[in-house]
Structure formats: structure tokens, C-alpha cells
Amino acid sequence: MKETVVSGIRSTGKLHLGNYYGALRNFVKMQEEYNCFFFIADLHSLTTHPTPGDLGRTVREVVVEYLAAGIDPEKSTIYIQSDVPEVAELYLYMNMNAYLGELERATAFKDKVRANPDNVNAGLLTYPVLMACDILLHHGTKVPVGKDQEQHLEMTRTFGNRFNRLYQVDYFKEAFAFTYSDKLVKIPGLDGNGKMGKSNGEASCVYLSDAPDVIRKKVMRAVSDSGPTEINQPKPEAIQNLFDLMKVVSKPDTLSHFEELYNTCTIRYGDFKKQLAEDMVLATDPVRSRIQEISNDQEYVQRVVKMGAEKASESARKTIREIRDIIGIKRLY
Ligand code: TYM
């Protein structure tokens, strides 16, 4: 039996290089070897209260970008989280078994509280429970995600194991973060600090759908400094980030060429950024060129999500039947 892979991306709109290298690229590879469920986490995105119009548009954008990146709906199950409402039922059961202290300690929750102190809603607090349910619903054991999601997977194991202990069953399996490289990645942004992400501002993100000229402009404006003044000088964060980006989009030779120029204080950031931008344009080209074409094919997009909803619902209904039985929820009529 093939192992089951489950992963999702929130529907907050077009995907950036962080989503691609942290998650989506691995989805595409994994579908060849595993039984895969890839979904668009629209329920998770409700924590930030998108307008109804934006929610529908962004869900569709992410479906299209999954397909454009190469996820094959015949090999994987691509679905929209809200098309499988069983996850909300499981979320209710698992919430009975998740404790305030552990939820408050989650790093992602603390970051969100710091960034948006006026929107500390209960959905944000229990975000990791819903995420665990996405995985547990299909008995996923491998979860392709970026570094920022590692703690959520640890929580998923905690919730699943606790359920097993409480009901004295061996029902849920343990799920682990997965990547093909040696460690989970964190793709930095262009703004000099932190990871690439919408919450760090549009300028920090390069989107898969950005036109080549937009990518060039963004990279040329990326934060840098006046250059190294000493041989083998350690790189400040903003510069290290640009080198880290080059590591994922460029050839190893290109990276070592610019490393050498940096270490000998002969680097010209204009040339460095130009090369980085061109390599980003090349890396995103195959996906970008398919986005428009797939987006125009309304009938295909609809067929994909309908098929995905059916396949995911079948797996979800089975889990919910078994869970109700374990918990002791029985119909009296
Ligand atoms: P989201 O939408 O924030 O991120 C989606 C995926 O992209 C990865 N990612 C990054 N990886 C590396 N560097 C970055 N700068 C970067 N930015 C984003 C994230 O690690 C993630 O893999 N909570 C999940 C969505 C989710 C989920 C799930 C994932 C909901 N339920 C169940 C797996 C299994 C999230 O972070 O979404």
C-alpha cells in the first residue's frame, strides 16, 4: 500500500516562491510515488476575514496554480477544503481534546497575535487543530510543507496520539513533515528580513504569476547594502537572503561565482541582482506560461474540483463513520 500524503495551501491568493519551493514543488514530485491529497485551505483563510468575492477568486487562483505547476488530477486528489465539510465535524471532536495552554504557545499563533493584536479570534487559536484534522481525515503520514509548519505537525502528532490514548485505540497514524532536500526550507523575502510571505508586504514576494518585468523590478529594488569591505566578511541578513534565493533558482556554478565575488569584495550588486532576476524568470516560466491557459478553461477547472471533492469526500466519510463509532456517537433511531 502506498503511503498517504496530505498538504494544503491557504487561499490567500496567488502563490509566491515560498509556497512553491516550500510546498508545491514537492507536491508535484510526490504524486508519482504516493497516494496524494492536495487541497486549498479556504476555511483556514477565514481567520483573516476575506470578503466573499475575494474568497471565491483566490480559491480559484490557487486551483489554477496547482494545475499550472504540474499537479495531475488523475494522479492526485485536488480539492477545496470546504467541499469536504466532514473536516469541520472532525475539528469539533478534536477541539475537545486540544488545550488552551498548548495552543497559546504555538509560534505561528504568537506571531499572528503580535502582528494583528486586534484580531485574535478563536479560529486563529485553533488553527493547528483544523490543520491536524486535514491530515488525520485521510490518515496522512507525509506532509510536504515549509519550515514554518514544523511545529504544527508536531501538534498534529500530539492530537492524534492523545485521541488514541483517550479512546484506547490505535487509530490515527503519526504524520511527519516531508521534503526531498535534506531539510525543510524557509524561502526569504526581498525586503531584507524574515520569510517571503504576504504578511511581510507585497514587495517581499515574487509570485508565480508575476510577469518577467515585474520580477526584474522587484529584485532590483530588493534591500541590499553598499557592499563588503573586508575579505570573507560575513553576510548581513539582507544579503544572505538574496544568496539563499539564488541557491534555489540558479545553477550551483552561478552561486559559487557570486560567492567568490562577494568574498573578494569585487561583487557588484547590480549584476548580482540582474542574474538573480533572470534566473527567477526562468525558474517560474513553465508555471507562468500555463496559468493563463488553464484559467481560461473554466470547464476543466470545474471538472477537476468536482472530481477532487468526490474522491476526498469518500475518504472523509469513512473516517467520520469510524470516529463516531470510536467516540460512541450512535443514532438512537
Ligand atoms: P500557507 O498558505 O501559509 O503556506 C502554504 C505552504 O507554503 C509554505 N511556505 C513557505 N515555505 C518556505 N518559505 C516560505 N517563505 C514559505 N511561505 C509559505 C508553508 O510552509 C506551507 O507548506 N497551515 C498551512 C496550510 C495548511 C496545511 C494543512 C498544510 C492547512 N492545513 C494540512 C499541510 C497540511 C500553511 O501554512 O499555509
Side-chain angles (χ1 to χ4, degrees):
M1 264 267 278
K2 282 184 183 174
E3 268 189 80
T4 299
V5 171
V6 181
S7 197
I9 298 185
R10 274 176 308 145
S11 58
T12 48
K14 45 194 188 173
L15 305 182
H16 51 68
L17 292 185
N19 300 132
Y20 184 67
Y21 288 102
L24 189 52
R25 195 169 63 151
N26 287 332
F27 295 3
V28 176
K29 270 191 171 182
M30 291 182 95
Q31 67 183 347
E32 305 299 334
E33 290 174 67
Y34 301 103
N35 174 33
C36 297
F37 291 87
F38 299 125
F39 63 94
I40 292 90
D42 57 343
L43 299 178
H44 275 107
S45 73
L46 296 178
T47 55
T48 56
H49 312 139
T51 64
D54 279 350
L55 185 63
R57 178 182 52 78
T58 52
V59 166
R60 192 177 186 282
E61 262 168 19
V62 181
V63 175
V64 167
E65 294 188 7
Y66 272 15
L67 293 167
I71 302 184
D72 178 346
E74 300 295 332
K75 292 182 183 156
S76 315
T77 301
I78 303 178
Y79 72 100
I80 298 165
Q81 191 183 28
S82 60
D83 277 340
V84 184
E86 283 79 3
V87 76
E89 184 173 337
L90 185 58
Y91 174 52
L92 185 147
Y93 301 145
M94 298 306 276
N95 268 330
M96 306 300 168
N97 208 1
Y99 294 97
L100 185 60
E102 64 191 341
L103 296 171
E104 280 178 334
R105 278 194 300 276
T107 313
F109 176 71
K110 288 196 281 192
D111 288 349
K112 290 267 157 62
V113 171
R114 222 172 290 123
N116 301 297
D118 299 333
N119 184 29
V120 186
N121 61 66
L124 202 61
L125 182 73
T126 56
Y127 182 110
V129 184
L130 181 57
M131 176 159 164
C133 293
D134 292 321
I135 300 165
L136 298 172
L137 192 63
H138 304 297
H139 305 284
T141 50
K142 284 191 153 49
V143 187
V145 282
K147 177 95 185 126
D148 58 332
Q149 297 301 309
E150 206 169 22
Q151 192 181 36
H152 285 158
L153 285 176
E154 198 183 313
M155 295 172 85
T156 301
R157 293 191 290 276
T158 302
F159 299 145
N161 287 335
R162 193 178 287 155
F163 178 94
N164 287 350
R165 265 201 313 279
L166 180 65
Y167 293 104
Q168 297 182 5
V169 288
D170 185 15
Y171 186 69
F172 287 130
K173 296 185 186 126
E174 289 196 322
F176 291 90
F178 180 86
T179 173
Y180 281 98
S181 53
D182 54 348
K183 44 184 188 314
L184 298 176
V185 301
K186 175 187 145 194
I187 303 296
L190 295 173
D191 56 343
N193 52 51
K195 62 170 188 170
M196 184 175 290
K198 280 199 189 120
S199 44
N200 296 334
E202 289 284 315
S204 90
C205 296
V206 172
Y207 295 107
L208 296 176
S209 55
D210 277 346
D213 271 351
V214 173
I215 296 181
R216 290 182 187 113
K217 266 197 207 115
K218 283 184 181 174
V219 176
M220 295 317 280
R221 282 194 205 127
V223 175
S224 57
D225 59 17
S226 50
T229 50
E230 284 167 40
I231 303 291
N232 294 332
Q233 188 179 313
K235 300 185 186 82
E237 189 181 357
I239 303 302
Q240 184 62 51
N241 287 352
L242 297 180
F243 273 95
D244 287 349
L245 285 165
M246 183 169 260
K247 194 169 176 189
V248 291
V249 296
S250 305
K251 295 206 176 83
D253 284 359
T254 310
L255 179 68
S256 40
H257 170 70
F258 283 101
E259 292 272 11
E260 172 70 22
L261 293 181
Y262 182 88
N263 288 333
T264 52
C265 302
T266 49
I267 192 163
R268 286 160 42 159
Y269 285 143
D271 297 342
F272 173 54
K273 286 177 168 180
K274 245 186 222 152
Q275 181 70 47
L276 178 61
E278 289 319 309
D279 288 340
M280 279 184 180
V281 169
L282 266 182
T284 48
D285 187 59
V287 182
R288 183 177 41 250
S289 61
R290 300 191 64 211
I291 291 177
Q292 204 50 52
E293 181 195 331
I294 293 171
S295 183
N296 291 340
D297 195 346
Q298 175 67 356
E299 196 258 331
Y300 175 61
V301 174
Q302 280 177 338
R303 187 152 37 88
V304 166
V305 291
K306 182 161 182 284
M307 188 167 84
E310 282 162 9
K311 283 204 267 177
S313 294
E314 201 182 305
S315 150
R317 278 198 294 266
K318 178 169 182 293
T319 304
I320 289 295
R321 259 198 318 275
E322 291 168 351
I323 290 282
R324 283 178 169 214
D325 191 51
I326 292 170
I327 294 180
I329 297 177
K330 299 218 167 45
R331 289 250 157 90
L332 288 179
Y333 59 91

